[in-house]
Amino acid sequence: MKSFATALNLAWAYLRQRPLPTLLNVLLLGLGVGTIIALILTLKQAEERMERDTAGVDLVIGAKGSPLQLILSSVFQMDIPTGNVPLAEAAPIIAARQVKLAIPLALGDSFKTFRIVGTEPAYIDLYGATLLEGRLWAKPLEAVVGADVARLTGLKIGQRFPGSHGLTEGGETHADHPYIVVGVLKSTGTVADRLILTSVESIWAVHDHEEEAEGKKPDGAQVKTKKSAKSAASAGNASSAVAPHPVYADQNDHDPQHDHPREHQNEHQHDEDKEITAYLIQYSNPLAAASFPRMVNASTSMQAASPALETSRLFALLGIGVSTLKVFAAIMMVCSALGIFIGLMNTLNEQREDLALLRMLGATPATVFFTVALQGFALGLLGVILGLLLGHLGAEWMGYAIQKTHRIYLTGWVWVKEEGAIVAVALVLAIFAALVPAWRAYRNAVSETLNDV
Amino acid sequence: MLIAIENLDAGYNTPAGRQSVVKIGHLSIAQGEHTLLLGPSGSGKTTLLNVLSGLALPFSGKIVIDGTTLNALSAAERDKFRCQKIGLVMQRLHLISALNVGNNLLLTQRLAGMARDLNRVSAVLRALGIEHKAKKYPRTLSQGEAQRVAIARAVLNRPPIVLADEPTSALDDANCDTAIDLLFAQAHEHGATLVVATHDARIKHRFSRVHELVASK
C-alpha cells in the first residue's frame, strides 16, 4: 500500500514534469469520451421523450401525406400538419369497435410559437398531466397552458392572449378573438408542457370569424407556405380547398352542443363540412393493429400512421448519422489511448535512468511498475473526467440550442447508465495503453543493473 | 567485518550462457576502512557494486554485509536491506528528475521505510552547503551541486556503507578533489565506510586501501 502511494506520488510528479503532452493526451481522450457521452445523453433523452409522447397512442389518423410528417405534427407537435380531414369522414372510423379512445386534434394557430391545440380533456389525461392551478376549459376560447408555456411566456390565469396564424412567429393575429387562460398544467416532461390546450370548438370559432372578417383578403406568405404543404388528398375536399387557412381545423364553425350562441348567427354552413387535423387513437384490442390501419388507408381518403413504427423509422434514418459520429468518437478514444501508449513508451526511455535509480534507492519492482502504470491510468482518469464534463456540458448546450428552434428540452444534468460503460471502456483502454510500458519498466527493474545505465 | 566476500563469481546472463565478469577469492573490509576498487572499464566494477548492493545475485560465492548473508535473502529482502544499509553515489545518476531536491531526499527516506524527517533532510543539505537548493529541480542544478545532492542522499539514512560508482570521473581535478573531500567528510560524520569503484587513478592516493580489479577474459 505504501509503495502504491509512493508510485502515485511519482506518477503525478512525472505527469507534471511534462505538462504539454499530459494536457494533449487528456484533451484527446476527453474529446472522444465527451462526444460519445453528449451523443448518448441527447439520443437517450430524445428517445425517452418520444416514448413518453407516444405512450398510449396506438395510431394517428389524419390527412394523407407522409406518415412520418403526420406523427411528427400531431404527436410530437414538431412538423406542420399534413392537412385536415372532414369530420364527417372521420366519424364512422372513430366509431369503429376497434377504437377505444379517439382524441381529436385541431392545429394551426400558435401564440409566441407555442401551439394552440384544439382537443378534449382526454388529451391531458393521455399525458398524465394535472392542473397546477385553475380549471379546464368549459367554453370556447378558454385555454389551459402547459408548464413550459406558462414559464416562458408568463401567461397567468385570467390573462387574455391572441392566437396567431401558423405555427411560427409572424402570422396574422386573431386579435378579435383572444383566448383567456383558465388553467395551468403541472410539468409532465412530455409534449403537453409546451402546448396551449383548448377545445376544438375554440379553433373553429376563431377561424369562422376570421373567415367572415377577412375572407376576401389574399393569404399572407405564411399561410401560403402552409397551403403548399397540404396534401393533395385534402385539397380534394371542397371546403378546405377554398379555405384561407387550409392547415387549420375547419373554419366553418358549428358544433351545436358547444358553440357560442352568437356564433350561430349568420350560419351558412353544415356540420359535415367541419374539419379536424388528426385523431389520436387507442385500440380497444391489440389485434386491431393488424387490420385497422390497413382499413383506414385503403377505404378512406385519410391515412393511419403508427407512432411506434414511424419513430423507429425516424431513428433508423437518424441512426446512420449517429453511428458515424459514434465511430468517429470511438476512433478518437482509440487514438487517445494510442497517444497515451506512445507517450508512455517515449517517457519510459527518458525515465529509464530514474526508474533504475528508484530501484537502487530500494523501490520494489512493483513500485516501478505502478509508477509507469499509474501515469497511464491518471491520464485515462483525467481524460474521462474531462470527457464527462464536456459531454454533459455539450448535451446541456445542445439542449439549449435545440430549445430555441424545436422547443424540446434536453438537459446535460442527467446521468444514464450507458455512461458507466463508456467510462469503463475509456479506462480499460488507458490501462491497456499503460500496461506494456509498465511491464517493460517492471522487467527492466528486475533485471536492470547499473551496467545498462 | 563490515563486508566479507568469499569465492565470488559474478557476471551477467547472455543468450549464450553466463558471462563471468568478476571473480574474487577473498575480500574483507572492516568498518571505517575506506576502500577503493580500482580497475579499467570491463573489469567488473559495476557488477561488483550490483552484487554488493543486492541488486543482482552472484553466480556463486558468498557476500556477508554487516552480519547478513546477502545472497540468502529474497529479492524483496535485499531491496529493503539495500536502502537501509547502503548509500549509493553514482557517476551521473543523481536524482529523480521529476522531484525537487528536498522531495528526492524525502523519497529516499520513504523508500527505506523510515519516518519522514524534514529536519534530517535540512541538516544533511546544510552540511553540504546546498540547503538553499531544496526547492530546486535537478535540471537546474550545476554538476557540482548535483554531486553534492547525490552525496547528501547517500548519507541521509545513516547507512553503514556508502558505495560510489565512478563518483569523480565526470569531474575536473578541482571538483574531483572537492567531491572526494565531501565524501570522506560525510562518511566520517555519519560513521559510514566508503567503497568507491572507479578507473579514476587521480583519487588512488586518497585511500588507505586499494583493491585492484583485473579484466577477466
Side-chain angles (χ1 to χ4, degrees):
Chain A
M1 203 55 227
K2 195 168 178 184
S3 70
F4 188 79
T6 306
L8 193 61
N9 270 339
L10 282 168
W12 184 238
Y14 280 120
L15 289 179
R16 284 188 23 189
Q17 196 187 12
R18 300 170 283 118
L20 192 62
T22 300
L23 201 71
L24 286 177
N25 275 328
V26 168
L27 205 63
L28 198 58
L29 187 60
L31 284 174
V33 171
T35 307
I36 291 188
I37 284 180
L39 274 176
I40 287 178
L41 284 177
T42 312
L43 281 178
K44 200 76 183 163
Q45 288 183 70
E47 251 170 77
E48 277 172 13
R49 182 59 184 261
M50 286 193 159
E51 253 165 50
R52 283 202 299 272
D53 284 355
T54 55
V57 181
D58 294 325
L59 196 73
V60 179
I61 292 176
K64 279 211 194 301
S66 154
L68 183 56
Q69 191 188 346
L70 178 61
I71 299 299
L72 286 174
S73 63
S74 44
V75 178
F76 301 118
Q77 305 285 351
M78 282 161 83
D79 206 351
I80 51 171
T82 50
N84 290 332
V85 294
L87 208 55
E89 185 165 11
I93 298 297
I94 61 169
R97 61 177 169 78
Q98 290 102 321
V99 176
K100 185 171 101 188
L101 178 68
I103 304 171
L105 294 178
L107 303 177
D109 277 2
S110 63
F111 173 68
K112 292 187 176 169
T113 77
F114 290 101
R115 292 182 176 205
I116 300 171
V117 177
T119 184
E120 286 173 0
Y123 187 76
I124 293 176
D125 301 335
L126 184 68
Y127 292 117
T130 49
L131 283 162
L132 180 69
E133 50 181 342
R135 57 173 175 86
L136 289 182
W137 61 87
K139 294 185 296 187
L141 297 178
E142 287 185 344
V144 168
V145 299
D148 289 340
V149 180
R151 184 168 57 84
L152 293 166
T153 63
L155 281 177
K156 288 181 185 63
I157 286 179
Q159 204 171 331
R160 290 177 185 273
F161 65 95
S164 65
H165 273 320
L167 304 173
T168 52
E169 258 171 322
E172 276 177 83
T173 311
H174 302 296
D176 300 345
H177 296 82
Y179 288 92
I180 181 164
V181 181
V182 296
V184 176
L185 296 178
K186 281 185 194 158
S187 179
T188 57
T190 67
V191 66
D193 292 353
R194 54 195 161 97
L195 296 178
I196 298 167
L197 301 169
T198 183
S199 61
V200 177
E201 290 75 27
S202 301
I203 307 287
W204 288 338
V206 168
H207 290 95
D208 184 32
H209 287 266
E210 288 295 318
E211 190 179 66
E212 282 169 23
E214 44 181 285
K216 300 288 186 286
K217 284 185 195 168
D219 283 344
Q222 151 83 25
V223 175
K224 277 180 181 149
T225 313
K226 300 296 178 202
K227 193 165 195 166
S228 66
K230 192 169 164 64
S231 76
S234 48
N237 178 290
S239 80
S240 67
V242 296
H245 319 298
V247 164
Y248 301 98
D250 197 350
Q251 291 85 359
N252 311 321
D253 167 60
H254 300 304
D255 185 322
Q257 282 144 30
H258 297 289
D259 264 0
H260 196 281
R262 199 170 55 87
E263 286 163 5
H264 288 279
Q265 298 159 10
N266 306 326
E267 184 47 55
H268 306 297
Q269 292 175 302
H270 304 289
D271 198 54
E272 306 88 67
D273 295 335
K274 279 195 231 164
E275 292 195 331
I276 199 90
T277 312
Y279 277 103
L280 304 183
I281 304 287
Q282 242 175 41
Y283 293 137
S284 53
N285 176 341
L287 288 175
S291 59
F292 188 71
R294 206 180 309 155
M295 187 271 285
V296 173
N297 286 329
S299 65
T300 70
S301 67
M302 303 177 290
Q303 69 161 334
S306 151
L309 246 126
E310 295 307 320
T311 42
S312 65
R313 203 160 68 88
L314 180 65
F315 270 99
L317 289 171
L318 287 175
I320 302 164
V322 169
S323 43
T324 310
L325 277 172
K326 277 186 179 166
V327 166
F328 269 118
I331 290 173
M332 274 166 79
M333 276 172 64
V334 170
C335 279
S336 60
L338 209 63
I340 291 175
F341 172 75
I342 294 169
L344 285 182
M345 286 306 268
N346 279 336
T347 57
L348 195 60
N349 283 330
E350 289 166 20
Q351 291 169 15
R352 232 164 85 103
E353 296 196 347
D354 280 23
L355 296 177
L357 182 59
L358 276 178
R359 284 282 292 140
M360 283 182 280
L361 294 176
T364 61
T367 304
V368 172
F369 175 86
F370 282 120
T371 299
V372 175
L374 284 173
Q375 289 180 54
F377 186 74
L379 287 174
L381 197 65
L382 289 174
V384 163
I385 290 171
L386 181 71
L388 283 172
L389 208 68
L390 286 179
H392 283 266
L393 279 174
E396 178 71 15
W397 177 81
M398 242 187 278
Y400 183 75
I402 288 175
Q403 177 184 339
K404 291 198 151 173
T405 50
H406 297 283
R407 303 215 177 271
I408 298 173
Y409 302 119
L410 298 176
T411 172
W413 314 130
V414 290
W415 293 89
V416 298
K417 58 178 181 298
E418 283 83 352
E419 283 177 78
I422 295 299
V423 167
V425 166
L427 286 180
V428 165
L429 273 176
I431 289 171
F432 269 102
L435 224 49
V436 172
W439 178 248
R440 283 183 58 162
Y442 175 84
R443 288 289 305 274
N444 286 349
V446 173
S447 67
E448 186 141 356
T449 59
L450 302 179
N451 275 328
D452 304 317
V453 179
Chain B
M1 275 302 122
L2 185 62
I3 302 175
I5 298 172
E6 299 285 345
N7 300 320
L8 181 76
D9 179 6
Y12 49 87
N13 288 305
T14 66
R18 286 175 169 182
Q19 177 66 50
S20 247
V21 180
V22 60
K23 286 183 174 163
I24 296 173
H26 176 83
L27 176 69
S28 58
I29 299 169
Q31 187 171 353
E33 194 181 9
H34 303 318
T35 303
L36 187 68
L37 303 171
L38 189 65
S41 358
S43 59
K45 295 186 300 289
T46 304
T47 305
L48 184 56
L49 290 185
N50 280 341
V51 294
L52 277 178
S53 62
L55 271 171
L57 280 177
F59 297 143
S60 63
K62 189 174 162 190
I63 298 168
V64 181
I65 290 177
D66 208 14
T68 306
T69 305
L70 210 52
N71 34 340
L73 299 178
S74 72
E77 286 166 334
R78 276 182 280 130
D79 286 339
K80 194 158 179 58
F81 183 85
R82 173 171 64 255
C83 58
Q84 287 173 350
K85 298 285 184 181
I86 295 168
L88 282 155
V89 182
M90 253 65 59
Q91 178 179 345
R92 59 191 174 87
L93 203 58
H94 301 303
L95 299 164
I96 301 293
S97 57
L99 300 177
N100 67 28
V101 167
N103 284 334
N104 260 282
L105 295 191
L106 288 174
L107 177 70
T108 306
Q109 286 179 339
R110 189 188 178 111
L111 287 173
M114 305 181 91
R116 180 185 163 92
D117 186 350
L118 266 172
N119 290 334
R120 171 70 182 157
V121 168
S122 306
V124 171
L125 287 176
R126 199 180 314 124
L128 285 154
I130 46 172
E131 200 186 6
H132 59 291
K133 298 286 180 185
K135 295 272 181 255
K136 298 282 184 219
Y137 280 83
R139 64 176 179 282
T140 66
L141 299 178
S142 71
Q143 176 75 21
E145 286 163 348
Q147 188 88 42
R148 285 168 192 241
V149 179
I151 293 168
R153 187 188 54 211
V155 299
L156 182 72
N157 294 339
R158 297 190 180 86
I161 299 166
V162 171
L163 287 183
D165 186 19
E166 302 282 10
T168 56
S169 52
L171 304 178
D172 59 29
D173 289 354
N175 278 317
C176 170
D177 273 343
T178 315
I180 291 299
D181 285 343
L182 284 170
L183 267 176
F184 273 114
Q186 292 298 309
H188 178 75
E189 191 174 330
H190 298 96
T193 302
L194 267 181
V195 178
V196 177
T198 190
H199 71 274
D200 189 354
R202 288 179 297 180
I203 57 174
K204 192 176 171 181
H205 68 279
R206 306 287 300 266
F207 287 84
S208 53
R209 176 149 188 214
V210 177
H211 183 91
E212 302 247 3
L213 294 166
V214 286
S216 62
K217 192 70 210 114

